[in-house]
Amino acid sequence: MNTTILKDKLITVLRQIQAESGLGCPKLTGSTRPVDSLPQFDSITWPVATTILATETSVPIPDDVNIFIDETTDLPRSIDEIVDFVFDLATKQNETERTAA
């Protein structure tokens, strides 16, 4: 998994959720902050998007992790920041698995 594929999958998931909810979806770029930019994208929708992304990428994302908000600043993450966060999470999980093996 690389960041380009991860970004494409995240954007696809976000578009899918908006379409299935009957909501509009602006053009999504790396600087788009889904929490701020997507209509009705909130704490009810975040876990759904996270679960779909985890399934699509085979990256386990713990239920208590909000990929859309930076827990240190409480500010919404951009798509690029989300991709970096999930990529780092996957890298750490892979390292842990290799160490345990």
Side-chain angles (χ1 to χ4, degrees):
M1 176 69 52
N2 65 46
T3 56
T4 302
I5 293 170
L6 187 56
K7 182 176 179 178
D8 289 343
K9 288 189 181 281
L10 175 59
I11 288 173
T12 299
V13 166
L14 295 172
R15 285 184 181 143
Q16 172 189 349
I17 287 173
Q18 291 303 106
E20 289 177 4
S21 300
L23 300 167
C25 186
K27 181 179 179 188
L28 300 176
T29 67
S31 62
T32 303
R33 297 183 188 283
V35 173
D36 292 337
S37 300
L38 297 177
Q40 298 181 27
F41 193 79
D42 57 20
S43 61
I44 303 294
T45 314
W46 303 338
V48 175
T50 301
T51 300
I52 295 170
L53 182 64
T55 301
E56 292 288 320
T57 61
S58 299
V59 174
I61 302 171
D63 292 338
D64 62 341
V65 173
N66 184 345
I67 64 173
F68 297 99
I69 301 288
D70 186 320
E71 66 182 27
T72 59
T73 64
D74 288 330
L75 296 173
R77 287 187 172 113
S78 68
I79 287 176
D80 283 344
E81 291 168 336
I82 295 165
V83 167
D84 289 343
F85 179 80
V86 173
F87 187 79
D88 288 345
L89 183 65
T91 301
K92 288 175 187 171
Q93 289 171 350
N94 287 338
E95 288 172 3
T96 300
E97 288 172 8
R98 273 187 255 136
T99 303

